[in-house]
Amino acid sequence: MTTQHSAPTELKIDGDEARDWPTLVDALRHHARLRPQETVYLFLKDGETESERLTFGELDRRATLAARGLVARGVAGARVLLAYPPGLDFIVAFFAALYAGATAVPAPAANAGRSTYARISGVATDADLAIALTLPDLVEHARKILDETAIKTRGRTVPVTTLPELEARGSTEDLLPEPDPGFMAVLQYTSGSTGTPKGVMISHANIVANQQMIRDRFQHDTETVIVGWIPMFHDMGLIGNMMQPSYVGCRCVLMSP
């Protein structure tokens, strides 16, 4: 199939021409200021029934609180494992890591079977993690994997926490760093179905360049609706489905694979 791309036209981005922000953090904060009550993400638990939603304002608020909790834990500039099942908690945790000046390391949920165990163990061995985030009911699963990995590799044990704990701990006294476009925002591990997954270092500037290209070529604007079911630790689920709405300022409907 051949796809023809027309030249980019003027897009409706907050009533102005398409804007380019230095980082994804700057983009989300911009949309949260302008349209705090507008929905950015919805999750359909069975592909049909809405179970969660986030507005721009709520995402910014929760990510800020959790980021302050991360800063209080001393992980600014460090690497944060995100071990979540499909859902919107992953998105809050992802932006919390970026807001805290840390590097997000996406991973599947810690209770998803032997292949997932091997993947998380491999990531933990390679990534030099400072902390892991997951859902409250998956903390023990994640802790078990990370503890066993530490024993096997004679490495240090990675602490596991949750968004509610971080949000409760976050304080206005914990100042958040300004995002650096050259800093590694994401350490993304390849699919690696036949070998050990390898980490790819992605800077804030890399992300923005990709988001601009996606926006311009697909002609996305604030009235676009994106629908996706690819896992958010997967490249397309993360870069296309999850990041693009927070950059452009549109809505995204997500569901489980």
Side-chain angles (χ1 to χ4, degrees):
M1 182 178 73
T2 301
T3 302
Q4 293 183 341
H5 296 290
S6 58
T9 58
E10 182 175 309
L11 305 179
K12 185 179 179 182
I13 306 292
D14 302 328
D16 300 320
E17 290 187 8
R19 290 188 55 182
D20 294 332
W21 291 272
T23 72
L24 200 61
V25 169
D26 295 297
L28 176 57
R29 285 173 173 166
H30 171 85
H31 298 307
R33 284 194 306 271
L34 263 63
R35 307 194 310 284
Q37 301 303 320
E38 288 189 21
T39 298
V40 56
Y41 297 105
L42 292 91
F43 187 76
L44 308 181
K45 65 180 181 179
D46 56 4
E48 295 183 2
T49 307
E50 179 187 332
S51 57
E52 306 173 78
R53 73 166 53 204
L54 283 169
T55 64
F56 288 105
E58 184 181 10
L59 175 55
D60 176 64
R61 179 187 63 80
R62 291 189 60 193
T64 298
L65 279 175
R68 287 174 175 155
L70 285 172
V71 170
R73 300 276 305 243
V75 299
R79 297 172 184 182
V80 181
L81 182 74
L82 311 178
Y84 284 91
L88 303 189
D89 282 315
F90 172 91
I91 299 174
V92 177
F94 178 86
F95 277 102
L98 268 56
Y99 275 31
T103 298
V105 185
N111 66 337
R114 183 176 299 176
S115 61
T116 298
Y117 178 101
R119 182 180 181 85
I120 294 177
S121 179
V123 169
T125 301
D126 182 72
D128 188 24
L129 300 169
I131 198 168
L133 296 180
T134 191
L135 295 179
D137 60 351
L138 298 181
V139 166
E140 292 309 314
H141 290 282
R143 188 171 287 141
K144 181 175 183 291
I145 295 173
L146 294 171
D147 286 351
E148 290 181 3
T149 300
I151 292 172
K152 290 177 182 178
T153 62
R154 297 183 180 179
R156 59 181 177 78
T157 299
V158 177
V160 182
T161 190
T162 66
L163 283 173
E165 290 177 3
L166 292 176
E167 290 172 310
R169 185 168 178 171
S171 166
T172 55
E173 297 177 359
D174 298 313
L175 298 178
L176 301 182
E178 285 298 315
D180 176 3
F183 182 75
M184 181 171 61
V186 181
L187 182 57
Q188 184 180 11
Y189 280 80
T190 58
S191 299
S193 59
T194 59
T196 303
K198 297 173 177 61
V200 179
M201 298 182 288
I202 304 173
S203 71
H204 284 279
N206 293 151
I207 289 172
V208 166
N210 208 310
Q211 294 309 307
Q212 291 169 358
M213 185 180 297
I214 293 171
R215 178 199 63 196
D216 295 344
R217 289 301 182 183
F218 280 95
Q219 296 290 285
H220 288 161
D221 59 26
T222 55
E223 296 182 354
T224 297
V225 177
I226 294 173
V227 178
W229 52 87
I230 303 174
M232 283 179 277
F233 61 86
H234 185 285
D235 179 74
M236 194 174 294
L238 180 71
I239 304 296
N241 292 346
M242 194 278 276
M243 291 186 186
Q244 180 73 174
S246 57
Y247 188 78
V248 173
C250 63
R251 179 174 295 194
C252 180
V253 180
L254 296 167
M255 61 196 85
S256 170

